[in-house]
């Protein structure tokens, strides 16, 4: 995340095709100002996703190591105010199983989109608040840093199961 006056609005996405010896521009940019989280998710040696829920294109995919990128469509988040955040996927992030998570900042409710689903489903998690935070699964718990105190908090990993 980049915050503060004077920070560039968009950050260039650069890639290395020789194990980090040299770097070149991909022609892509991402807005990494607050709020986050923002992720670069490696799917395989040449495949990756840029995930940034407040970006104009919140989910972008490359199959050629970052040389080219395409935007992927997401179904709208239920009950989300289309005016806030600017593009409607606050806190967008990916879990290790490939599911996407997003937060409705108006209600504090977290939603999940599994890899085979067509629509978002509500999660049982008692929200860590109405501010987007990075959720980290570890063992049988989901962890985050409190937006209020900065202290670690957690809930059972079973909270990431869609509510009936």
């Amino acid at each position: 995340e980049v915050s503060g006056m004077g920070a560039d609005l968009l950050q260039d996405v650069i890639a290395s095709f020789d194990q980090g010896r040299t770097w070149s521009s991909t022609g892509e940019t991402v807005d990494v100002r607050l709020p986050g989280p923002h992720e670069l998710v490696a799917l395989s040696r040449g495949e990756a996703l840029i995930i940034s829920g407040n970006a104009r294109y919140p989910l972008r995919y490359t199959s050629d190591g970052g040389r080219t990128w395409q935007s992927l469509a997401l179904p709208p988040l239920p009950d989300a105010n289309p005016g806030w955040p600017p593009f409607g996927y606050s806190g967008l992030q990916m879990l290790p199983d490939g599911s996407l998570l997003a937060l409705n900042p108006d209600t504090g409710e977290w939603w999940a989109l599994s890899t085979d689903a067509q629509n978002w489903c509500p999660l049982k998690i008692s929200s860590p608040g109405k501010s987007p935070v990075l959720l980290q699964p570890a063992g049988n718990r989901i962890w985050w840093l409190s937006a209020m105190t900065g202290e670690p908090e957690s809930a059972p990993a079973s909270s990431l199961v869609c509510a009936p």
Side-chain angles (χ1 to χ4, degrees), residues 44-136:
S44 70
R45 184 170 172 86
E47 293 178 296
L49 292 169
I50 294 174
I51 302 174
S52 184
N54 294 332
R56 182 171 304 280
Y57 304 106
L59 191 60
R60 290 180 274 175
Y61 169 78
T62 182
S63 61
D64 58 12
R67 287 182 178 89
T68 61
W69 294 85
Q70 62 181 332
S71 298
L72 301 179
L74 290 173
L77 195 61
D79 302 324
N81 178 346
W84 178 258
F87 299 102
Y89 298 98
S90 183
L92 186 66
Q93 55 197 284
M94 183 176 280
L95 292 175
D97 70 358
S99 297
L100 293 172
L101 299 180
L103 170 72
N104 180 330
D106 293 328
T107 65
E109 185 172 24
W110 284 91
W111 294 81
L113 182 67
S114 65
T115 56
D116 58 351
Q118 299 293 316
N119 295 300
W120 296 91
C121 66
L123 294 179
K124 295 178 184 177
I125 192 169
S126 56
S127 177
K130 292 185 177 184
S131 297
V133 295
L134 181 62
L135 300 175
Q136 293 287 325

Side-chain angles (χ1 to χ4, degrees), residues 127-148:
S127 177
K130 292 185 177 184
S131 297
V133 295
L134 181 62
L135 300 175
Q136 293 287 325
N140 62 356
R141 308 234 12 118
I142 184 84
W143 292 86
W144 64 88
L145 295 177
S146 168
M148 300 296 286

Side-chain angles (χ1 to χ4, degrees), residues 144-161:
W144 64 88
L145 295 177
S146 168
M148 300 296 286
T149 66
E151 294 295 317
E153 297 181 8
S154 70
S158 59
S159 299
L160 298 179
V161 175

